[in-house]
Amino acid sequence: AQKITQTQPGMFVQEKEAVTLDCTYDTSDQSYGLFWYKQPSSGEMIFLIYQGSYDEQNATEGRYSLNFQKARKSANLVISASQLGDSAMYFCAMRELRDDKIIFGKGTRLHILP
Amino acid sequence: DTGVSQDPRHKITKRGQNVTFRCDPISEHNRLYWYRQTLGQGPEFLTYFQNEAQLEKSRLLSDRFSAERPKGSFSTLEIQRTEQGDSAMYLCASHFTEGTANYGYTFGSGTRLTVV
């Protein structure tokens, strides 16, 4: 069974609008961490934001925020005021703290339109 | 240290040849990971090291694949007798443990392998 599900293969968003990228996850662990990475066409994986399972506040990093709904096992990424440079692949990932690696979803390709 | 370095960036090889990739992690990071990413997919875990010890290998890592991290610094990933199905981006990441999961894993730019 997939542990990370990203249901949006692609999205088109007008520049300056906010965008939400969906991510649901599956784990029976109580302790885990959730990550979002950005992968531009150059191929590098760029760390964006992290949410721990015990964090009570939603994580924020500049224009990025993570909408963490633990009961729904949902960890959506919100990008406010999108910019052309936000066009990229976005991956949701999880690390179960009893494990030592992160596992990724299949990604969402985001296109920002001028 | 400016990040995780991978070499080469691109490699084209003929089927049946051996290839070796190198990863230089961030120097203070004690963990090093290898992932493989095929077109349109997320990265898939292959193996990881803590210092020089290889602690876990994925079932994706067939007998033709071998990884080393001899002095706990750089790592190499070798693929013997390459097959067309090995064509992918090979990503290296490093990480420092001791409860710092919130810092994320730092990835290199990857080595793109094309087997012809």
Side-chain angles (χ1 to χ4, degrees), chain B residues 3-7 22-27 32 73-75 92 94:
Chain B
V4 178
S5 299
Q6 291 190 246
D7 184 69
R22 176 179 171 126
C23 172
D24 287 88
I26 292 173
S27 59
L32 185 149
S73 56
F74 73 92
S75 175
C92 177
S94 69

Side-chain angles (χ1 to χ4, degrees), chain B residues 10-21 79 81-84 86-87 112-116:
Chain B
H10 303 275
K11 178 72 177 178
I12 299 174
T13 191
K14 291 184 177 180
R15 189 176 52 181
Q17 297 293 306
N18 298 346
V19 293
T20 300
F21 311 140
I79 309 174
R81 304 181 303 281
T82 51
E83 302 172 356
Q84 287 188 323
D86 298 331
S87 295
R112 185 170 295 282
L113 174 66
T114 303
V115 181
V116 296

Side-chain angles (χ1 to χ4, degrees), chain B residues 59-72:
Chain B
R59 284 172 293 178
L60 292 175
L61 215 64
S62 76
D63 291 344
R64 297 183 297 105
F65 287 70
S66 62
E68 294 183 340
R69 195 183 181 196
K71 297 182 180 178

Side-chain angles (χ1 to χ4, degrees), chain A residues 77-91:
Chain A
L77 177 70
V78 180
I79 306 174
S80 63
S82 57
Q83 302 171 356
L84 295 177
D86 294 333
S87 295
M89 281 290 287
Y90 288 81
F91 291 97

Side-chain angles (χ1 to χ4, degrees), chain B residues 43-111:
Chain B
E44 297 171 296
F45 169 77
L46 292 178
T47 187
Y48 89 95
F49 294 83
Q50 173 145 330
N51 301 314
E52 65 275 9
Q54 188 173 19
L55 296 188
E56 186 177 346
K57 292 194 292 186
S58 162
R59 284 172 293 178
L60 292 175
L61 215 64
S62 76
D63 291 344
R64 297 183 297 105
F65 287 70
S66 62
E68 294 183 340
R69 195 183 181 196
K71 297 182 180 178
S73 56
F74 73 92
S75 175
T76 57
L77 177 68
E78 181 183 17
I79 309 174
Q80 296 182 326
R81 304 181 303 281
T82 51
E83 302 172 356
Q84 287 188 323
D86 298 331
S87 295
M89 174 79 89
Y90 290 84
L91 291 163
C92 177
S94 69
H95 176 61
F96 182 70
T97 56
E98 290 185 4
T100 58
N102 55 318
Y103 292 161
Y105 293 59
T106 304
F107 280 81
S109 297
T111 294

